[in-house]
Amino acid sequence: MSAIKYEKNADNIVILTLDSSGQSANTMNAEFRDSLNEVSEKLKAETDLKGIIFRSAKKTFFAGGDLDELIQVQPEHATEFFKMIEELKGDLRSIETLGVPVVAALNGTALGGGWEIALGCHYRIAINDPKTKFGLPEVTLGLLPGGGGIVRMVRFLGLQNAFPFLMEGKQFGVDKAKSLGLVHDTAENEQELLDKAIAWVKANPKSQQPFDVKGYKIPGGDPKTPAVAQVLAIAPAMLRDKTKGCYPAPEAIMAAAVEGAQVDVDTALRIESRYFTQLTIGQISKNMIGTFWHGLNAIKSGASRPADVAKWQATKVGVLGAGMMGAGIAYSTAIKGIPVVLKDVSVENAEKGKAYSQKLLDKRVSQGRMTAEKRDQVLALITATANAADLQGCDLIIEAVFENQELKAKVTQEAEQYLAEGGIFASNTSTLPITGLATASKDAQKFIGLHFFSPVDKMQLVEIIKGKQTSAETLAKAYDFVQQIAKTPIVVNDSRGFFTSRVFGTFVQEGMRLLAEGVHPAKIEMAALKAGMPVGPLAIQDEVSLTLSEHVASETRKALQAESKYLPKTPVDEVVHTMIHELNRKGKAAGAGFYEYPENGKKHLWDGLSRWTKENDVSEQEMIDRFLFVQALDTLRCYEEGVLESVVDANVGSIFGIGFAPWTGGAIQFLNQNGVEKSLQRAEQLTAKYGERFTPPQLLRDQAQKSDIIR
């Protein structure tokens, strides 16, 4: 019983201390399951048992399921896996129904399986710590709470109140748990936690779950209750509208919750196990676990960071340019407690940039997420200025001015002299090669790209771009800074458009190609959403602005001409030119693009796009394939060319940087999950029909011959 320490005190209360061996956190691994089974049998054999207390020897209570184990479960293991889950739940249920009081002494965070153990207890006491989180986030990994979480949350909260915690994976703190009645009491330290648990056991010698008491009714009513039935009549349609059918987990959760609410607890638990097995053996959960758990953890642990460079922290950061990007970078830096100098050509412009932080912080205060005092402290960290000398002593300066090489060179040379010794200089460019920008620097080894995404306060990814001369030390410092401000870094090598901007462009252009081919614009946008993209390509193009796209295309052509290369005009160029120069529709900022933007109404597609619409035979699935393959194949080219150095950075970067369909696990995982041979065949079909942009990279051909995944 190495995962659970069994100790019976003088009052005949058994204290079960969860302590998985060789791990910093407790998980529902094989060791835990074996230990729980032994504990369950031992408890049944006790003759004078007065109560049971679950507690933890770790810093947190319990982390949840063993994802390393879950990702390995294949369809052929379904029966065996189902039985294993049923046995685990049977042991928890056995403890829950022994007729003695069962208490969860929660010393810290309990998520997933950990929260399910807590829900299986009759009484829950938590240490009053604002960092503690509870909840069932399985849906974010393509799974559902399979340890009884759906069954018990529905019975405690009712269907409607439980849905956000189950289908959205919402986490909550101690105060929220108390207000929901899910945590009954709090303690200030571990000793008080244990003392209160023992006292409650003694005061409640006969105890059972409320839902095991005869006549218990689910709060708000079961699915047959008229008010609940009315909601459930439209809930599946609303859910499908949200998921577009790409995510089976929320649908399985809703089904398990509704079906389980109509039967007894034990039958409901079995229904939950069946849906859990179905999701676990499916490909989508494997895609999402691989990227959102293993991939992100690899990045957090510094997978793409030079290992032999000491950890570093920025102590003062300069930001050049107080526009939308610069203001966002300043905010994201200051809110992590780092002093920022926000410089623009005038103090008025700089103050406008600082006002952006004021607005975001005021919103936090109004929502009760921050005190006014804390807001003022953060604002005090931002110095708005027009004087370059105020940058003196910055150990990191980030330029975020307009995408123009001459302007960027000018501000680099003006500001670089004020860098502290050992400091580094970064450009927030989204397309201009870093090696070219670094020629303006006095030391190209200390020059790097930090490509933030808009809006910076919401977007988690930062693309770090190494120039040809960027040193390993500069890369390590940039990586550390990105993590210091709680964002996710991926590392790429220098090229025009780098990775994210280059691949993002293929998605938007494919949408405009479809428009030029005569497909109705509403069909284009819907196909993109059904592919799993967060927004349609025409809507995104409006956000970016057609004039910016035209400018980037023009600059790219000039650069290629300088290299004696020719970039032919495409139907996309014709669409963009017509929209800007003939129809005066330049995008959202100009008030008119592919969409109309009425002052007091919802945006909608512009009727004038009908000029391109004609008969065509492109099916919705064909459009979905085009959207996903055009991005996935170009991502693979980036990997093959050495722009990307790892599959992890490719998958994480594609989802968090360009919104590539999260259900796939990322652009390269999309090719892997299809099977590389099938992906190759489909790419060849698309090439034959639509042209060279779908040409399979040699790497895909090589892996298909080996019948191996792309690693």
Side-chain angles (χ1 to χ4, degrees):
M1 293 190 301
S2 52
I4 306 174
K5 184 182 174 187
Y6 190 107
E7 180 190 356
K8 190 174 178 183
N9 71 8
D11 297 311
N12 287 325
I13 299 169
V14 170
I15 298 168
L16 301 174
T17 304
L18 307 172
D19 192 10
S20 294
S21 55
Q23 297 182 181
S24 60
N26 295 307
T27 58
M28 277 185 176
N29 55 16
E31 180 197 41
F32 171 79
R33 291 194 299 274
D34 291 343
S35 299
L36 183 68
N37 183 253
E38 287 181 45
V39 162
S40 169
E41 293 303 316
K42 194 169 178 180
L43 286 167
K44 280 191 266 189
E46 289 282 359
T47 54
D48 192 22
L49 183 65
K50 299 298 183 190
I52 301 159
I53 296 169
F54 279 95
R55 65 189 302 220
S56 171
K58 310 291 188 188
K59 287 180 182 176
T60 57
F61 180 72
F62 202 100
D66 186 336
L67 294 171
D68 289 333
E69 193 178 71
L70 290 175
I71 203 171
Q72 303 296 329
V73 182
Q74 298 299 326
E76 59 268 27
H77 306 139
T79 302
E80 180 190 345
F81 180 77
F82 174 78
K83 284 179 182 171
M84 181 265 285
I85 292 299
E86 282 288 276
E87 284 167 14
L88 167 69
K89 289 160 84 166
D91 289 333
L92 288 170
R93 184 73 176 139
S94 167
I95 294 169
E96 184 179 41
T97 55
L98 279 172
V100 298
V102 186
V103 182
L106 304 166
N107 64 313
T109 290
L111 295 171
W115 184 239
E116 290 176 302
I117 292 170
L119 291 174
C121 299
H122 307 156
Y123 198 72
R124 288 166 290 281
I125 311 169
I127 287 183
N128 205 1
D129 182 348
K131 291 180 185 170
T132 291
K133 293 288 174 199
F134 303 129
L136 299 165
E138 287 88 344
V139 69
T140 61
L141 297 174
L143 296 168
L144 60 71
I150 295 175
V151 176
R152 293 184 177 91
M153 285 289 274
V154 166
R155 278 162 173 73
F156 286 138
L157 300 179
L159 279 162
Q160 281 177 264
N161 289 336
F163 277 164
F165 300 108
L166 298 171
M167 291 195 294
E168 297 169 32
K170 280 189 175 178
Q171 297 179 26
F172 47 95
V174 176
D175 289 344
K176 180 67 173 175
K178 276 189 77 179
S179 72
L180 291 166
L182 297 174
V183 162
H184 304 94
D185 196 4
T186 57
E188 295 308 312
N189 53 59
E190 297 224 15
Q191 188 57 55
E192 187 186 0
L193 185 67
L194 184 58
D195 291 345
K196 281 193 169 188
I198 291 169
W200 191 84
V201 168
K202 287 180 177 179
N204 297 271
K206 292 288 180 191
S207 178
Q208 62 186 142
Q209 290 280 31
F211 51 73
D212 284 326
V213 177
K214 194 173 181 184
Y216 180 81
K217 287 189 172 17
I218 293 173
D222 66 23
K224 296 187 292 293
T225 307
V228 177
Q230 199 173 0
V231 171
L232 292 179
I234 58 168
M238 289 172 68
L239 180 61
R240 178 54 69 108
D241 182 57
K242 197 172 179 181
T243 67
K244 299 296 185 289
C246 293
Y247 301 93
E251 294 183 10
I253 288 169
M254 182 180 281
V258 174
E259 290 170 29
Q262 300 176 76
V263 294
D264 62 274
V265 173
D266 294 308
T267 304
L269 288 167
R270 197 173 313 118
I271 289 168
E272 180 189 88
S273 296
R274 285 184 178 137
Y275 280 111
F276 183 49
T277 302
Q278 183 184 329
L279 292 175
T280 303
I281 64 172
Q283 186 59 48
I284 289 175
S285 65
K286 293 177 185 0
N287 294 342
M288 295 177 78
I289 291 169
T291 298
F292 294 113
W293 180 255
H294 291 113
L296 282 175
N297 281 340
I299 285 173
K300 280 176 192 169
S301 63
S304 301
R305 180 192 186 278
D308 53 353
V309 180
K311 276 280 184 186
W312 180 81
Q313 282 205 324
T315 58
K316 183 181 178 184
V317 174
V319 179
L320 311 179
M324 193 68 177
M325 292 301 290
I329 295 167
Y331 168 81
S332 298
T333 304
I335 202 162
K336 293 301 173 186
I338 308 166
V340 185
V341 177
L342 182 58
K343 184 198 173 294
D344 209 301
V345 290
S346 70
V347 174
E348 291 75 24
N349 282 1
E351 288 290 354
K352 273 185 198 168
K354 184 173 178 177
Y356 178 76
S357 289
Q358 172 101 43
K359 180 180 159 191
L360 292 174
L361 293 165
D362 283 345
K363 188 176 178 184
R364 283 190 165 219
V365 173
S366 69
Q367 292 170 337
R369 294 165 57 212
M370 178 181 273
T371 64
E373 184 186 14
K374 176 67 177 169
R375 172 199 60 201
D376 295 343
Q377 287 171 2
V378 174
L379 278 173
L381 289 170
I382 303 174
T383 302
T385 185
N387 186 359
D390 288 334
L391 296 163
Q392 186 69 51
C394 287
D395 41 19
L396 167 63
I397 296 176
I398 305 167
E399 67 81 1
V401 299
F402 187 68
E403 290 285 274
N404 176 283
Q405 184 141 355
E406 290 73 27
L407 177 60
K408 286 181 181 290
K410 182 185 170 190
V411 298
T412 299
Q413 287 164 352
E414 180 188 38
E416 203 175 35
Q417 60 189 304
Y418 298 109
L419 268 176
E421 191 176 344
I424 63 171
F425 195 97
S427 172
N428 176 55
T429 180
S430 56
T431 55
L432 299 174
I434 291 299
T435 304
L437 294 177
T439 57
S441 170
K442 60 184 180 185
D443 188 352
Q445 291 184 74
K446 293 181 178 177
F447 195 98
I448 198 162
L450 282 179
H451 177 203
F452 288 81
F453 296 80
S454 184
V456 180
D457 56 289
K458 289 183 182 159
M459 298 293 278
Q460 284 307 297
L461 193 79
V462 178
E463 186 177 30
I464 302 177
I465 307 110
K466 297 186 286 180
K468 283 199 175 127
Q469 291 174 274
T470 303
S471 70
E473 185 182 0
T474 299
L475 170 59
K477 286 179 175 179
Y479 200 100
D480 292 343
F481 168 70
V482 172
Q483 291 194 310
Q484 191 181 349
I485 60 170
K487 294 201 180 290
T488 302
I490 62 163
V491 177
V492 305
N493 284 303
D494 198 15
S495 73
R496 182 161 290 277
F498 320 124
F499 161 50
T500 54
S501 295
R502 166 176 161 176
V503 174
F504 169 79
T506 65
F507 168 59
V508 176
Q509 286 167 23
E510 201 62 31
M512 288 191 281
R513 280 178 185 271
L514 284 162
L515 183 71
E517 287 170 27
V519 180
H520 193 287
K523 288 184 176 180
I524 296 169
E525 298 292 80
M526 183 51 71
L529 296 175
K530 285 190 175 180
M533 300 300 292
V535 187
L538 304 180
I540 287 184
Q541 180 60 80
D542 268 7
E543 294 283 343
V544 171
S545 95
L546 284 99
T547 45
L548 178 61
S549 294
E550 185 181 55
H551 171 74
V552 169
S554 171
E555 291 296 306
T556 302
R557 276 199 174 81
K558 281 183 203 166
L560 289 172
Q561 280 167 4
E563 298 169 22
S564 300
K565 294 176 185 173
Y566 173 66
L567 187 65
K569 293 267 186 182
T570 70
V572 172
D573 296 307
E574 290 171 26
V575 168
V576 171
H577 184 274
T578 301
M579 287 289 287
I580 296 171
H581 302 289
E582 292 179 30
L583 304 171
N584 194 30
R585 301 188 70 86
K586 300 173 182 174
K588 185 179 178 182
F594 292 112
Y595 281 76
E596 293 275 32
Y597 298 93
E599 228 173 90
N600 299 313
K602 198 176 176 185
K603 76 175 186 183
H604 56 86
L605 283 160
W606 178 48
D607 291 344
L609 298 180
S610 60
R611 68 184 288 143
W612 281 288
T613 307
K614 57 180 183 280
E615 283 295 316
N616 63 78
D617 60 353
V618 185
S619 69
E620 184 173 75
Q621 188 56 54
E622 184 96 341
M623 287 190 274
I624 288 170
D625 284 359
R626 283 173 64 173
F627 284 135
L628 295 177
F629 271 92
V630 79
Q631 295 176 82
L633 293 168
D634 205 42
T635 298
L636 190 57
R637 279 184 212 105
C638 287
Y639 186 43
E640 187 176 65
E641 292 164 15
V643 176
L644 283 159
E645 293 183 340
S646 79
V647 170
V648 167
D649 280 353
N651 286 331
V652 170
S654 64
I655 291 173
F656 289 94
I658 60 178
F660 192 81
W663 66 267
T664 65
I668 289 182
Q669 178 57 22
F670 168 70
L671 299 171
N672 281 334
Q673 62 110 36
N674 275 336
V676 287
E677 291 175 74
K678 283 184 182 173
S679 289
L680 174 61
Q681 287 167 12
R682 187 65 179 123
E684 286 175 332
Q685 289 168 1
L686 292 168
T687 305
K689 201 166 181 183
Y690 298 109
E692 63 178 22
R693 65 189 181 281
F694 292 103
T695 302
Q698 187 59 42
L699 182 54
L700 184 61
R701 297 185 186 282
D702 293 344
Q703 294 307 111
Q705 282 185 341
K706 298 176 192 172
S707 296
D708 194 14
I709 63 168
I710 301 153
R711 301 175 194 277

